[in-house]
Amino acid sequence: CGMQWKHECWIYSIDCRDEILHATQNQIIGTGELEAITVQKPAFVLGERVMLCSHDKGTKQRLILGIGLVNNSWFYVVELMSPTLTQSRTIYNRFSLIGEKSLVRVNV
């Protein structure tokens, strides 16, 4: 139901009825059985440049680092804060799932 770039590799989210499993490509063995779903394609693709609609600190561009399908709606992993060299005690995760309506495509 989704994937994101994390720990220097792609992490795939797999819907397994009552839970969502996370695995790398080396942990997945294909069975050849596919189940069709009727969901619109995501509006953004991995690596695409976007900006947050409500971001107050200028026009900082971000990249789509992951895509996830939650309750038939697409969400996108973007970095909310730039990495720092010193560890922050208040912010544990710089990344967040953002809905499609909160993002604006950057035309290159």
Side-chain angles (χ1 to χ4, degrees):
C1 60
M3 64 180 151
Q4 68 176 323
W5 182 255
K6 190 174 184 180
H7 306 299
E8 302 300 319
C9 66
W10 288 111
I11 304 293
Y12 297 89
S13 301
I14 305 158
D15 187 356
C16 291
R17 292 184 181 84
D18 295 339
E19 63 181 320
I20 294 180
L21 302 176
H22 303 280
T24 65
Q25 69 180 21
N26 299 325
Q27 297 170 313
I28 300 171
I29 299 173
T31 63
E33 297 179 28
L34 298 176
E35 183 179 325
I37 59 172
T38 55
V39 176
Q40 287 185 333
K41 289 184 179 182
F44 303 101
V45 298
L46 292 170
E48 188 168 1
R49 292 184 200 183
V50 295
M51 291 188 332
L52 292 170
C53 291
S54 61
H55 197 257
D56 297 331
K57 297 178 183 176
T59 58
K60 189 173 182 180
Q61 295 182 16
R62 290 166 169 76
L63 295 177
I64 299 292
L65 301 174
I67 300 173
L69 183 63
V70 179
N71 293 330
N72 293 326
S73 296
W74 291 108
F75 287 86
Y76 305 89
V77 178
V78 297
E79 189 173 31
L80 292 181
M81 296 189 65
S82 296
T84 60
L85 297 176
T86 58
Q87 187 174 7
S88 172
R89 295 181 184 191
T90 58
I91 299 172
Y92 297 103
N93 191 358
R94 299 186 328 259
F95 305 94
S96 184
L97 279 176
I98 306 293
E100 188 174 305
K101 293 180 180 179
S102 298
L103 297 172
V104 175
R105 180 173 281 109
V106 173
N107 295 322
V108 182

